[in-house]
Amino acid sequence: DAGVTQSPTHLIKTRGQHVTLRCSPISGHKSVSWYQQVLGQGPQFIFQYYEKEERGRGNFPDRFSARQFPNYSSELNVNALLLGDSALYLCASSLAGTNEKLFFGSGTQLSVL
Amino acid sequence: AQSVTQLGSHVSVSEGALVLLRCNYSSSVSVYLFWYVQYPNQGLQLLLKYLSGSTLVESINGFEAEFNKSQTSFHLRKPSVHISDTAEYFCAVSDGAGANNLFFGTGTRLTVIP
């Protein structure tokens, strides 16, 4: 079975642009979480979605938004990109809406110039 | 919100040696504790976790961690490391059942020297 897949793997944008990152969870998993990992730091929670509803939001500005589709895939959108948004964006899926076992994708490396 | 402290951003040990990676978290009534490992160019993988019960938990590849509530610690150790253990290790905590996010430490990069 395929693991969590994220696309694209790498992305380069300029300040002020918009970006959409995509995630497909493991088949059967209904929960998707997004994390931001800045170089040299641990992942930081952005959003969790379960059954297409937002279940949690981290301390990120409103420029960050997400949604989950009927097939449980998810998109993370970031508007008005800043240099500080440069990071590895990780998607994780789980069977239910709990954190007892998260399966992470390899991430999307976003560089904002 | 929880906070997680991992002492030592880089640790180098010789193959076959004992390694201890430290993790402390801010206190809470009940927590779930995790160690994740990130190999180069890969996503994070769950190494082991403490939810309840025995305070000593083990992974299938020889790592173990012990939950110490009084010291708010969850240190990871392996008696004899292998070169394939070279990776970055992240300690994480969540506020028990029903929590929807993990709080991660800054990670410890382990290098095993042949």
Side-chain angles (χ1 to χ4, degrees), chain B residues 36-80:
Chain B
Y36 278 84
V37 58
Q38 189 173 32
Y39 298 103
N41 301 315
Q42 295 185 29
L44 287 85
Q45 301 174 31
L46 180 64
L47 185 61
L48 46 76
K49 63 184 177 183
Y50 170 79
L51 304 181
S52 64
S54 173
T55 57
L56 182 65
V57 292
E58 301 177 350
S59 73
I60 59 173
N61 58 352
F63 283 92
E64 60 184 26
E66 186 160 18
F67 168 53
N68 188 318
K69 186 175 183 178
S70 63
Q71 297 185 6
T72 60
S73 68
F74 191 55
H75 302 327
L76 180 71
R77 60 179 175 263
K78 185 171 183 178
S80 177

